[in-house]
Amino acid sequence: MLNLENLSKSFRGGSFGSGAVPAVRQVSFSIAPGEVTSLIGESGSGKSTIGKMILRLLPVSSGRITFDGVDVASLEGSALKEYYRKVQGVFQDPFSSFNPVFRADRIFRMLEREYFGDLGAREWSAKLHTSLEAVGLNPADVLGKFAHELSGGQLQRLLVARALLLDIEILVADEVISMLDASTRVDVLNLLAGLKERGLGVLFITHDLSLGHYISEHTVILRRGVVLEIGETAKVFGNPQHSYTKMLLASVPRLHSHWEPLEPGEPARTGPRDAPRGRGRRARGQPLEPVPLLVEVEPGHLVAFEDGGTATAGDER
Amino acid sequence: MSLDVQNLVVAYRTLRGDVRAVDDVSFSVADGEIMGLAGESGCGKSTLGNSLVRLDRTMRCLGGRALLDGTELPLSDWDAMDDFRFKKVSLVPQYSMSALNPTRRIGKMISEVVRSRKIRYKDVLPELERRLRLVGLPTDVLAKYPIELSGGMKQRVVMVLTTLLDPSLLVADEVTSALDVSTQRAVGGMLVELRDMGIVTSTIVITHDLSVLVQVADSVVVMYAGKLVERAPTATVVDAPRHPYTKLLIASLPEVGVRYAEHVLAGIPGHPPSLLDPPKGCRFADRCPLASAECAVEPPLVELESGHFVACWKAS
Amino acid sequence: MSKDTTTTKDDTAAPTEEGNTAPRHELVYFALRNRKLVIGLSIVGLLGLAAIVAPFSARSNPDAFVGPPMQPPSSSYLLGTTYFGQDVYSQLVNGLRQSFLVGIMGGGIAFVVATAVGFTAGYRGGAVDEVLNMLTNVLLVIPTLALLIIVGGYLKGTSIVFEAMFVGATAWPWAARAIRAQTLSLVSRDFVGLARLSGVRSWRIVVGEVAPNMSSYLFLTFILLFGNAILISASYDFLGFGPPGGVSLGSMMNLAFAWNALQLHIWWWFVPPGVAIMGIVGGLYVTNVGLDEVFNPKLRSL
């Protein structure tokens, strides 16, 4: 069980950290074994930052992440190595995950050196083959190749296979299929969904609502580092409460229906999305809007409290 | 008939020989039509769209021709194309909004672009400002730097600039891809508005995302491994596709409402063939569940019903 | 912008995937086809060879007075003799030897410091980066040659080794900055994150994962540092601050000018060392440009 408690992250801006830019603010949720939790947000929402903090690739600013009751930030040296035995990640760009200078096997070679040094060559090879077959790869097709000789789908499978070599309990999947082709992405998606049957907890980070809806048991909707809606996926998608969630759902392009107008008479483009982008999006001197309280609207479904319940456009500007 | 492409072949030159990224493709786009060009990475859709406006030095046109309003476009002749580029045919390249020079104000950047086309900035400024207002942008964006604009605003600025001279043909290459859903919607809406207002006569929208095409396009061309496999009105492609590739592709797309727990989607096994040495017959045959002996011969593009073209032996 | 930028099209993915299967083989192909690289390497290689075989090919001790003064080149004195009757050819090959020594030592030291500082700053980031960056920037604005003249003035009797060490200790900042920038961009790539998730220690990630990705860049950096060290040392000697005796290319030219070789038309005294310095530095530069074209696919022409 991995818990996020009031997790916050600020990036230092300016020299010697003279200004702090908040990326994630007081986020709390947990990733349970045997479930996929999707963390859905648009660019700049801080969703990847949360994934990187869980993987200890970024330090936490305040709040904490606990794994089986232990604060992850306190882990060093061999304890951190043991943490990585249980918690692993797969990233967005399969090509950037492989060192272009070396063959793709290097990701396995590193694990062998660091974790399975006492394993004989034959046992290691058997273990590797089992793991590759578990993700639907034929070892002969993929071993000994360079990353550019393999397809994006094969590479992402290799990365999942790498994680499965360890005794992982939690997998952080950060936008893992957004760069794959449509005809192969669903296979990787099914592979991730299948992991929960092995008792794994998966954090599925995505900007794509349809993917999140397809795969997950729980959904967290994030905007500008703040949780706006959280709960069982069926409830969040079936009965969206926050105006932002509603706006997102209305904007998703669908295959079998057209966009419905957001608000009658209001052209779509004058909506909230014109807020300037990037880390420096908050104008200097402008006070930070407070982190809203989460209110339980039905069992297992929490929604951020909105002032007067007005449209999103109001609190965005 | 606004655009008519006949038997176009475009190849990339590599050390190992020519790679025919677009191989014998024919289609036409009517006045006022928004045509979607869909397919997976490497299928040639971007090459096709780009070749109609700017065939760069690594590409070569090996055959076929493209007629715009009855005039043949000199695709292979970079300098002769200058008479058409920006005026008659215009391209919004992939990632163009990230390619804006960060040290130039938007207005300065636009004035440099129009000057390179021998047009005075002052002459187009009133129209430019009118167009910006038309797409919901304040005219003071001209005084801003790219970093001060959101992704959607930058994309709209780029689109206003590329359509400033009312081109007959606009090629929009993955203009919605790097955007959030809410912004995607705004940019998609703008493509339709440009057409509705008569600023652009015909449009080719290149994207890997079929669901975006459902929102904006009148018709869709599906490409696979350099070949055109299916062309039909958008609703037909989505609801009643006839080519096995299109069918499988659409069946593999998760949509809000579909859940793994209830319905497991399936991908298409295998991967597209290498274009350096493509298979002789149907290029989809080795991944196709329906493939049989006749697929060793390349299927012609056949019009099954009015406006619905399919290149497959099994479709008729 | 929208009209004039070359953009990468996703459609090119397929062809390049096919074309890259033998990257090493391809590098050799482009290297041999690159005329700049071949010419540059030939010049530097020939001069280097002359420096290596100097002790065997030299007719005499470079400082020894072997014959009549001011002899033009002839069969007995290949490049003639100096105002004092020393053999110019022997001085030249020994000077080349000294120059290459300064280049390898000075360039090598600068390279080691630059990589250490650049990698540490780029990989560690944060406060470490800021401190190292400040140090780098301070040293960057101090002109090495001027500082060398001042410091050399206090320490009477400088040697070639001193020059090399001094150049090595002061000429690294620009290289450190460049390496830091490259490291910064590589560290943000996912394979570095994945190596960390595999429990690999930091130094091993830098040496084993990051550095191999910029090997061509590091090589180019070393070449430039090497040429720079030779040039600075030659300038220092030419200005007359070098060790006594006509042993280096710079001091050969210094003596030639001090004894009015120009007015006396003893061109064979100052032209050979001048051409040698120009050959080394120019050859290295041309090599550098050629290598850049070979390593960078965007600059290659088919």
Side-chain angles (χ1 to χ4, degrees):
Chain A
M1 188 78 155
L2 192 95
N3 275 308
L4 279 61
E5 296 163 22
N6 282 321
L7 188 65
S8 297
K9 174 73 190 175
S10 297
F11 285 103
R12 303 176 328 136
S15 55
F16 294 102
S18 50
V21 184
V24 173
R25 296 200 286 152
Q26 295 172 38
V27 168
S28 304
F29 64 90
S30 53
I31 304 165
E35 282 186 358
V36 178
T37 303
S38 48
L39 180 57
I40 300 178
E42 299 192 299
S43 60
S45 63
K47 56 186 190 301
S48 288
T49 306
I50 292 177
K52 289 209 171 81
M53 284 193 282
I54 293 175
L55 293 172
R56 277 284 307 261
L57 296 176
L58 278 177
V60 168
S61 295
S62 72
R64 54 184 211 147
I65 301 170
T66 60
F67 180 65
D68 292 338
V70 180
D71 189 346
V72 169
S74 69
L75 303 174
E76 283 306 332
S78 60
L80 180 61
K81 213 160 155 177
E82 283 312 300
Y83 176 68
Y84 283 147
R85 199 189 276 279
K86 303 257 172 64
V87 179
Q88 275 295 332
V90 180
F91 305 115
Q92 172 173 16
D93 182 353
F95 292 95
S96 148
S97 295
F98 289 84
N99 197 330
V101 180
F102 302 107
R103 284 171 209 282
D105 317 29
R106 190 172 178 86
I107 58 163
F108 301 124
R109 199 70 43 75
M110 281 195 280
L111 280 190
E112 184 190 8
R113 196 177 58 206
E114 299 293 334
Y115 285 94
F116 302 102
D118 48 350
L119 219 57
R122 188 172 302 164
E123 288 147 289
W124 164 255
S125 162
K127 191 175 168 63
L128 180 56
H129 283 216
T130 316
S131 175
L132 287 173
E133 275 148 23
V135 298
L137 285 175
N138 178 3
D141 289 348
V142 291
L143 292 181
K145 297 257 174 76
F146 283 96
H148 65 253
E149 297 175 272
L150 300 168
S151 74
Q154 283 174 316
L155 293 177
Q156 290 300 48
R157 281 159 191 273
L158 279 175
L159 291 167
V160 176
R162 170 192 167 275
L164 291 180
L165 280 170
L166 300 162
D167 316 311
I168 54 164
E169 294 172 17
I170 302 283
L171 183 70
V172 177
D174 187 359
E175 293 270 16
V176 287
I177 52 181
S178 61
M179 298 192 56
L180 302 184
D181 269 322
S183 69
T184 50
R185 67 188 344 192
V186 69
D187 293 325
V188 176
L189 203 56
N190 289 340
L191 173 66
L192 289 177
L195 292 180
K196 63 189 172 196
E197 278 137 37
R198 295 168 151 240
L200 263 70
V202 179
L203 179 65
F204 184 73
I205 300 173
T206 186
H207 68 280
D208 191 325
L209 287 98
S210 54
L211 301 180
H213 188 224
Y214 177 72
I215 194 176
S216 64
E217 275 72 36
H218 281 93
T219 294
V220 181
I221 305 275
L222 199 67
R223 187 192 61 186
R224 297 204 212 154
V226 175
V227 173
L228 291 185
E229 192 151 359
I230 180 168
E232 290 166 31
T233 300
K235 288 175 177 163
V236 172
F237 279 81
N239 182 21
Q241 292 294 308
H242 199 279
S243 53
Y244 179 70
T245 316
K246 290 180 189 166
M247 188 277 295
L248 281 182
L249 275 168
S251 302
V252 177
R254 297 171 195 241
L255 264 187
H256 298 284
S257 60
H258 281 269
W259 281 320
E260 285 164 28
L262 282 173
E263 292 150 48
E266 187 82 358
R269 59 169 174 276
T270 55
R273 63 209 67 89
D274 283 347
R277 205 158 284 280
R279 276 188 192 160
R281 95 167 55 80
R282 188 168 55 96
R284 213 164 285 149
Q286 183 189 331
L288 206 57
E289 49 189 274
V291 176
L293 284 173
L294 289 172
V295 184
E296 187 158 31
V297 288
E298 58 184 318
H301 186 181
L302 285 81
V303 179
F305 182 74
E306 289 178 271
D307 276 338
T310 47
T312 341
D315 68 85
E316 283 269 354
R317 288 288 176 151
Chain B
M1 185 74 28
S2 180
L3 176 74
D4 193 16
V5 174
Q6 297 164 356
N7 307 100
L8 191 66
V9 181
V10 181
Y12 283 94
R13 304 173 65 192
T14 73
L15 274 185
R16 303 238 212 113
D18 286 346
V19 172
R20 290 172 166 233
V22 176
D23 200 347
D24 197 12
V25 168
S26 304
F27 63 89
S28 55
V29 190
D31 283 347
E33 181 177 352
I34 297 182
M35 188 193 88
L37 195 50
E40 302 181 82
S41 58
C43 74
K45 58 184 191 301
S46 223
T47 310
L48 173 54
N50 278 275
S51 68
L52 296 174
V53 184
R54 52 195 312 279
L55 201 68
D56 67 47
R57 267 157 299 169
T58 56
M59 303 196 287
R60 263 195 311 177
C61 178
L62 294 183
R65 54 190 202 145
L67 301 168
L68 184 70
D69 300 325
T71 320
E72 181 167 352
L73 293 174
L75 297 183
S76 310
D77 188 338
W78 179 269
D79 295 325
M81 271 303 282
D82 263 347
D83 298 338
F84 293 88
R85 239 176 258 136
F86 194 39
K87 296 165 188 144
K88 289 278 170 202
V89 290
S90 218
L91 172 75
V92 186
Q94 208 173 350
Y95 313 123
S96 53
M97 66 174 194
S98 341
L100 295 176
N101 186 341
T103 64
R104 288 271 191 287
R105 291 176 197 276
I106 299 290
K108 172 95 172 140
M109 180 272 296
I110 293 179
S111 84
E112 281 169 8
V113 172
V114 296
R115 209 178 316 134
S116 76
R117 299 285 158 198
K118 308 209 167 36
I119 296 162
R120 284 183 34 206
Y121 182 56
K122 253 195 253 161
D123 297 346
V124 290
L125 189 58
E127 183 61 17
L128 177 65
E129 288 180 341
R130 193 181 75 84
R131 296 275 172 94
L132 287 173
R133 279 194 297 270
L134 217 53
V135 300
L137 289 173
T139 49
D140 62 8
V141 294
L142 293 176
K144 290 191 171 162
Y145 287 99
I147 196 170
E148 299 175 88
L149 306 182
S150 70
M153 291 166 93
K154 276 189 275 188
Q155 192 65 279
R156 269 177 278 162
V157 165
V158 170
M159 281 163 64
V160 163
L161 169 61
T162 46
T163 57
L164 197 56
L165 301 184
D166 297 356
S168 284
L169 175 69
L170 174 69
V171 179
D173 191 1
E174 298 281 10
V175 285
T176 58
S177 300
L179 301 173
D180 290 328
V181 283
S182 46
T183 320
Q184 213 173 45
R185 185 179 172 154
V187 171
M190 186 175 159
L191 284 170
V192 177
E193 283 168 34
L194 287 171
R195 186 266 316 262
D196 290 349
M197 291 186 287
I199 291 173
V200 175
T201 315
S202 352
T203 311
I204 295 179
V205 182
I206 302 167
T207 178
H208 64 281
D209 193 344
L210 268 171
S211 50
V212 167
L213 292 183
V214 171
Q215 312 305 319
V216 302
D218 303 308
S219 62
V220 172
V221 159
V222 180
M223 286 186 71
Y224 182 80
K227 291 279 183 188
L228 192 162
V229 295
E230 186 156 9
R231 164 147 173 59
T234 309
T236 314
V237 166
V238 173
D239 297 325
R242 300 290 288 273
H243 196 285
Y245 172 64
T246 321
K247 282 185 191 172
L248 289 172
L249 185 65
I250 286 177
S252 74
L253 299 177
E255 208 188 349
V256 173
V258 181
R259 304 206 56 188
Y260 176 78
E262 294 148 14
H263 173 62
V264 177
L265 299 170
I268 310 177
H271 45 84
S274 155
L275 294 179
L276 204 55
D277 183 25
K280 283 273 179 293
C282 172
R283 295 189 175 176
F284 187 59
D286 65 332
R287 297 171 82 185
C288 182
L290 304 177
S292 64
E294 60 185 333
C295 301
V297 178
E298 191 180 323
L301 191 67
V302 179
E303 187 163 16
L304 292 180
E305 50 199 88
S306 172
H308 191 171
F309 299 84
V310 180
C312 176
W313 295 114
K314 308 289 179 185
S316 40
Chain C
M1 51 98 286
S2 68
K3 301 281 155 188
D4 308 306
T5 41
T6 11
T7 52
T8 16
K9 288 154 229 87
D10 68 329
D11 286 30
T12 55
T16 46
E17 242 170 68
E18 294 303 319
N20 268 349
T21 38
R24 296 228 164 74
H25 181 252
E26 213 172 81
L27 274 189
V28 174
Y29 173 85
F30 281 108
L32 291 178
R33 269 185 51 135
N34 191 300
R35 202 176 299 162
K36 289 181 196 132
L37 181 59
V38 172
I39 292 175
L41 272 183
S42 310
I43 295 174
V44 178
L46 276 177
L47 290 170
L49 196 71
I52 289 170
V53 301
F56 312 107
S57 74
R59 304 289 178 88
S60 63
N61 182 322
D63 285 334
F65 305 99
V66 289
M70 295 191 286
Q71 288 299 305
S74 65
S75 58
S76 44
Y77 307 104
L78 269 179
L79 290 172
T81 59
T82 66
Y83 187 79
F84 313 105
Q86 296 148 315
D87 183 32
V88 174
Y89 175 76
S90 305
Q91 289 197 337
L92 179 75
V93 287
N94 270 287
L96 273 172
R97 199 179 167 80
Q98 302 287 6
S99 282
F100 273 92
L101 210 68
V102 168
I104 288 168
M105 270 182 61
I109 293 170
F111 183 72
V112 169
V113 178
T115 43
V117 171
F119 279 134
T120 311
Y123 187 78
R124 284 269 153 183
V128 176
D129 181 26
E130 279 182 29
V131 170
L132 286 177
N133 214 3
M134 203 159 68
L135 179 74
T136 310
N137 287 341
V138 168
L139 277 173
L140 190 64
V141 294
I142 297 177
T144 301
L145 183 60
L147 193 65
L148 179 59
I149 291 171
I150 295 167
V151 174
Y154 278 101
L155 306 168
K156 298 278 184 304
T158 55
S159 68
I160 285 286
V161 175
F162 165 78
E163 283 173 26
M165 305 240 299
F166 192 89
V167 169
T170 50
W172 54 267
W174 70 266
R177 276 182 68 122
I179 292 170
R180 169 184 171 270
Q182 284 277 311
T183 309
L184 269 180
S185 87
L186 279 169
V187 162
S188 68
R189 301 268 290 276
D190 288 339
F191 65 80
V192 172
L194 210 66
R196 287 170 70 181
L197 291 189
S198 303
V200 182
R201 274 185 294 272
S202 296
W203 67 268
R204 218 170 173 153
I205 295 180
V206 169
V207 175
E209 306 295 320
V210 176
N213 271 286
M214 40 196 285
S215 52
S216 59
Y217 196 83
L218 292 174
F219 188 57
L220 293 178
T221 306
F222 176 71
I223 285 186
L224 289 176
L225 286 171
F226 180 85
N228 183 48
I230 290 177
L231 204 58
I232 288 180
S233 144
S235 312
Y236 184 71
D237 292 350
F238 174 66
L239 292 175
F241 300 104
V247 284
S248 81
L249 297 176
S251 46
M252 271 175 86
M253 292 186 38
N254 174 46
L255 282 176
F257 278 86
W259 294 95
N260 297 327
L262 198 62
Q263 288 81 355
L264 297 171
H265 302 291
I266 321 176
W267 56 268
W268 56 86
W269 195 3
F270 58 85
V271 169
V275 168
I277 291 173
M278 234 172 65
I280 298 175
V281 178
L284 283 174
Y285 176 74
V286 174
T287 307
N288 190 41
V289 173
L291 277 176
D292 208 15
E293 288 177 2
V294 170
F295 289 137
N296 187 347
K298 279 185 200 140
L299 298 177
R300 285 178 192 165
S301 51
L302 272 177

